[in-house]
Amino acid sequence: MQGTVDGFSYGLVTPLVAYVMACLGGALGLRCTTRALLVAHSWRPGWLALGSAAIGSGIWTMHFIAMMGFSVAGAPIHYDKPMTYASLAIAVVMVGVGIFIVGYKGATGTALFTGGTITGLGIASMHYLGMAGMRFNGTFEYNTLTVACSVAIAMAAATAALWAAGQVRGFLWSVGASLVMGLAVTGMHYTGMAALSAHLHTDGTPSAGDSPAGLVAPMLIGPLAFLCLAGVVVLFDPLMVMGKPDWTPVEHKPGVPAHPPAPHPSRRAHLHTRRKVAHRASRTPQNR
């Protein structure tokens, strides 16, 4: 039996809040990625890891806030918690792989395409693994073409966002990129939901269950707390707004060493002796 699917049980409240969370996670993650490109290599892994966790947590939180407004008539929804948290892990890991590629290889060419593709696939994998963790008296079916469109949106959004993060053009640039990324990620989510249809099982009677909001809200406490912590780290970092590096690169001409070679020890001793002799001669009165 065909089930009636409603993705907007609370009207525009859940889409708007989901979009805000996607923007927040994107803003924190992209700013950390930009920050990683401005520091010495010893600090870079930490900033990239923080950025990966922020983006992964942001899109996961966005997905499940949006799912608070999802319902199937006559079929209470439950969530398989191990699979639900596995979707968070795969989001953080795959987004992290993409961000580390861009963080070390640069946001251009093959590195940007590879990093954006992996990050986009991580976003899509999080979405569909999270959907696979839903339990109700029926089954979901997907339209293949619409699913492919949702994956393409995720890949394009991730590539554009990583490119923007690699430009290192200041705080407002990253904010604009996060707004675009939030729109694209939220659009990817609802495109994927448009590919969905539910078929209810006729055997058995629907049982009472908790509302989706009551089931999902406790799961969001941890990621939301992490996003708040990441926000504190970003806001209190002195270079987050200024966007200036900790070091000043030294420009040098091609073929010329960045640092001139030091003279040989014997040569240094000879030069030192000549300076001492010249100094004494300058202090000796001239014979008239």
Side-chain angles (χ1 to χ4, degrees):
M1 182 178 66
Q2 188 76 17
T4 302
V5 175
D6 185 5
F8 302 93
S9 300
Y10 298 99
L12 294 178
V13 174
T14 48
L16 289 177
V17 176
Y19 172 68
V20 170
M21 295 310 303
C23 291
L24 175 61
L28 294 175
L30 294 177
R31 200 57 195 161
C32 289
T33 304
T34 300
R35 182 69 169 83
L37 300 175
L38 299 174
V39 298
H41 284 274
S42 59
W43 287 94
R44 186 168 298 180
W47 283 108
L48 292 176
L50 182 61
S52 305
I55 293 178
S57 298
I59 61 176
W60 189 86
T61 304
M62 174 277 301
H63 172 85
F64 284 100
I65 287 179
M67 292 308 296
M68 287 184 180
F70 178 82
S71 62
V72 180
I77 296 173
H78 301 272
Y79 288 87
D80 180 81
K81 289 187 178 180
M83 189 170 292
T84 299
Y85 288 120
S87 67
L88 172 61
I90 197 171
V92 173
V93 170
M94 292 189 69
V95 168
V97 171
I99 285 181
F100 269 78
I101 290 175
V102 171
Y104 279 95
K105 299 295 184 180
T108 56
T110 304
L112 177 61
F113 175 78
T114 304
T117 299
I118 295 175
T119 301
L121 291 176
I123 296 172
S125 299
M126 179 280 305
H127 174 85
Y128 289 106
L129 185 59
M131 295 299 297
M134 298 178 67
R135 301 287 182 263
F136 72 108
N137 188 31
T139 58
F140 288 134
E141 292 185 2
Y142 293 92
N143 180 279
T144 305
L145 181 60
T146 310
V147 169
C149 289
S150 70
V151 175
I153 291 173
M155 292 168 57
T159 302
L162 291 178
W163 174 82
Q167 300 308 302
V168 194
R169 293 183 181 178
F171 181 74
L172 293 180
W173 181 268
S174 294
V175 170
S178 68
L179 294 176
V180 175
M181 184 179 184
L183 181 63
V185 171
T186 307
M188 173 268 159
H189 171 86
Y190 284 102
T191 301
M193 296 305 293
L196 179 71
S197 61
H199 294 272
L200 301 181
H201 296 159
T202 57
D203 55 330
T205 58
S207 58
D210 297 330
S211 65
L215 291 169
V216 172
M219 300 181 186
L220 299 176
I221 296 175
L224 285 173
F226 173 80
L227 287 174
C228 292
L229 178 61
V232 171
V233 173
V234 170
L235 289 175
F236 282 89
D237 183 79
L239 298 183
M240 278 289 106
V241 177
M242 297 301 295
K244 295 181 179 179
D246 291 340
W247 44 268
T248 302
V250 180
E251 183 179 356
H252 60 277
K253 298 179 180 180
V256 179
H259 302 282
H264 192 272
S266 60
R267 175 66 176 168
R268 288 202 302 268
H270 178 66
L271 291 174
H272 181 67
T273 302
R274 289 185 59 183
R275 291 192 186 100
K276 289 179 64 177
V277 172
H279 179 69
R280 290 174 181 175
S282 64
R283 297 180 61 182
T284 302
Q286 295 182 356
N287 296 327
R288 295 185 181 273

